[in-house]
Amino acid sequence: MNTAYVYLQLYRLFDDVTPVEVDCGMLCGKACCKGDDSGMFLFPGEKEVFKLLNPDWIKIDKTDFYYEYDGKKHNVPIAFCSGKCDRYQRPLACRIFPLTPYLNEEGKIEIITDPRAKSVCPLAKAFLHEDYDSVFIKNIKKAFILLAKNKQFYEFLKEYSKYIDEFKRFFI
């Protein structure tokens, strides 16, 4: 499977759809796009997109976050931006911020507010799911249901959800 192609197609779901109808960056001074030392995880296979596009505003590094699949440990890369980007080349995590996929106890995908976003994003602090654009949430769910059909992605999502649980306990 050409994962870069899959991600490029999924990115299109968010070309004209955002969390809210207004520029939410006006609320927080674009806190999530400052280009500081915080980054966004790249989902399994997504790094291939940036090998293909090779944008000069993004730096990809390794993390200490791993998941196991097929008897091997796989590192989850992280993308750091310079503070300016081509909106149409942003990683999927940027496009869905401040929401994130999560596997619940039944192994079903939920879309939740990313607890890590609550320290920087006014939407994450104050919004309920019904406050977000419904098409935005529907598209996130559609993207991750599709991605989770891949066994490796599903294994990543199980580990990622445990990782998110570590943050959820601080933002109840």
Side-chain angles (χ1 to χ4, degrees):
M1 172 173 70
N2 183 338
T3 57
Y5 177 77
V6 171
Y7 280 102
L8 288 169
Q9 294 305 307
L10 292 175
Y11 290 174
R12 294 177 69 199
L13 290 172
F14 304 98
D15 281 354
D16 300 315
V17 179
T18 57
V20 291
E21 290 184 19
V22 298
D23 180 358
C24 59
M26 300 299 287
L27 296 171
C28 62
K30 300 184 186 219
C32 61
C33 294
K34 294 275 189 211
D36 54 16
D37 61 353
S38 61
M40 294 294 214
F41 285 143
L42 296 179
F43 295 108
E46 191 175 14
K47 187 175 177 180
E48 299 306 310
V49 171
F50 298 98
K51 286 181 184 176
L52 179 69
L53 300 176
N54 198 25
D56 61 356
W57 50 267
I58 199 167
K59 178 183 173 223
I60 298 173
D61 252 330
K62 290 187 174 191
T63 64
D64 59 358
F65 179 41
Y66 289 85
Y67 65 97
E68 287 190 30
Y69 173 71
D70 208 19
K72 298 176 192 158
K73 285 182 106 174
H74 297 269
N75 179 261
V76 176
I78 191 167
F80 295 97
C81 76
S82 64
K84 295 196 188 271
C85 73
D86 177 338
R87 285 188 56 82
Y88 297 102
Q89 294 182 353
R90 293 173 300 151
L92 189 54
C94 292
R95 293 166 188 265
I96 67 169
F97 190 82
L99 303 178
T100 196
Y102 179 81
L103 274 185
N104 64 23
E105 291 159 5
E106 291 86 37
K108 302 268 190 218
I109 295 176
E110 293 180 18
I111 304 306
I112 65 167
T113 300
D114 190 330
R116 300 167 297 169
K118 292 188 178 193
S119 63
V120 295
C121 178
L123 302 181
K125 291 177 193 174
F127 273 41
L128 301 172
H129 270 258
E130 54 266 18
D131 298 324
Y132 290 100
D133 182 282
S134 63
V135 174
F136 178 69
I137 291 179
K138 183 180 99 194
N139 286 358
I140 296 172
K141 189 130 187 180
K142 184 187 304 183
F144 286 97
I145 286 173
L146 174 74
L147 288 168
K149 290 181 185 289
N150 176 283
K151 289 181 179 134
Q152 182 172 353
F153 192 93
Y154 190 81
E155 289 304 313
F156 156 80
L157 201 50
K158 287 196 307 195
E159 198 62 35
Y160 178 75
S161 297
K162 290 178 199 171
Y163 175 83
I164 292 297
D165 284 340
E166 292 298 313
F167 290 90
K168 281 171 65 177
R169 60 193 180 124
F170 294 107
F171 295 99
I172 297 175

